Amino acid sequence: MKKVDLKQIFELVFRQCVFIIVNIYALSKIFGGQFYMKGKLPIEVASTTLEEASSFSLAWTFMGHSYSYILFVGITQLIGAWFLLWNKKKLLGVLILIPIMINIIIFDIIFLDVYPALVNAIIVFLMLLLILFFNKEKIIEVIQGLTNFPIKSKVLIKRRLITFGITLLVIVLIFTFDSFIEQWLGASKEKILE
C-alpha cells in the first residue's frame, strides 16, 4: 500500500483555497464590487467632507478612483491564482501573490477598520508561505543557483570591481540627469505660473 503524503495533500488544499479566495477578490475588483467606483459613491460618503471622512471611506474612494489601477491589481491577482493550479507554475504564482498580499495586509492595517478582511488576507498570506515551505528544497536550489558565483582568479575579482564601479558611476549620472530635468521642468513650470 502506498504511503499518503500529507505534505502534498496540504499543499494542494492550500493552493486551491488561495485560488478560490483570490479569484473572488480579483473578480470583485474587476467587476466594480470592491471599491467605491468613480461616479458611484454611496450618498453618505459623497456628502461627507474630507476632514470628516473615515479612513475606510477615504481608502475605498481613493482605490476606486482609478479603474486602470484596479484592473491591473485584479488581473495580476488572477494570473498569480491561476498559476497555482499547475504544479510547474505554482511557485511563480506564489511569488506573484506574496507582494500583493503584503500590500493588502499593510493597507488594511493602516487604513481600514474592517478586521475580517485583514484576517482573511493574513490567512491567504500564511497559506502562500506554507506552500513555499513545502517547496523549500526547490527554493534553496534556485537561491543557490542565483547567488553561488565561483571566484576563480584575481583577474575575475578585478573585472567585477571595475564593472561595479562603472555601474555605480552610470547610476549616479542617471540620477543626476534625472534631478536636473526635474529641477528644470519644475523651474519652468513656476515661471509659467507667475
Side-chain angles (χ1 to χ4, degrees):
M1 191 156 111
K2 227 176 177 183
K3 185 181 172 188
V4 176
D5 187 357
L6 287 176
K7 182 176 91 168
Q8 193 175 22
I9 292 171
F10 276 113
E11 179 192 309
L12 188 59
V13 168
F14 293 155
R15 285 167 48 196
Q16 291 173 348
C17 284
V18 171
F19 172 80
I20 292 167
I21 293 167
V22 171
N23 267 276
I24 290 168
Y25 278 102
L27 292 173
S28 72
K29 283 179 182 69
I30 291 170
F31 293 113
Q34 188 167 8
F35 301 114
Y36 298 152
M37 301 298 284
K38 190 175 181 181
K40 298 179 183 177
L41 293 175
I43 296 190
E44 64 274 2
V45 173
S47 62
T48 305
T49 64
L50 285 174
E51 187 176 341
E52 295 171 345
S54 68
S55 294
F56 180 88
S57 294
L58 286 172
W60 238 230
T61 304
F62 174 75
M63 293 300 290
H65 186 73
S66 171
Y67 183 69
S68 300
Y69 179 73
I70 293 169
L71 195 61
F72 167 74
V73 174
I75 289 172
T76 306
Q77 285 179 311
L78 285 176
I79 291 169
W82 280 85
F83 278 166
L84 293 176
L85 296 182
W86 290 280
N87 203 37
K88 291 185 179 182
K89 304 283 188 236
K90 66 186 174 191
L91 294 179
L92 184 56
V94 171
L95 294 176
I96 290 170
L97 291 174
I98 281 182
I100 293 171
M101 296 313 301
I102 290 172
N103 183 51
I104 290 169
I105 290 167
I106 299 300
F107 187 85
D108 286 358
I109 289 170
I110 293 173
F111 294 108
L112 306 183
D113 53 1
V114 181
Y115 297 111
L118 174 61
V119 170
N120 193 3
I122 290 170
I123 289 171
V124 169
F125 180 69
L126 291 174
M127 285 191 285
L128 290 169
L129 290 180
L130 285 168
I131 294 168
L132 283 180
F133 177 74
F134 292 149
N135 293 277
K136 65 181 177 266
E137 293 84 16
K138 289 180 187 175
I139 293 170
I140 289 169
E141 185 180 314
V142 168
I143 291 171
Q144 285 176 341
L146 292 173
T147 60
N148 213 2
F149 299 111
I151 298 175
K152 296 179 180 175
S153 69
K154 289 183 180 182
V155 174
L156 186 59
I157 293 172
K158 185 177 179 182
R159 192 172 342 151
R160 286 191 181 172
L161 288 173
I162 290 170
T163 303
F164 177 75
I166 291 170
T167 304
L168 190 60
L169 178 65
V170 170
I171 289 171
V172 168
L173 289 173
I174 289 171
F175 278 102
T176 303
F177 179 74
D178 181 58
S179 294
F180 170 76
I181 295 297
E182 285 180 9
Q183 290 295 323
W184 182 65
L185 290 175
S188 62
K189 196 176 194 181
E190 288 173 9
K191 288 179 184 177
I192 292 171
L193 293 175
E194 288 177 355

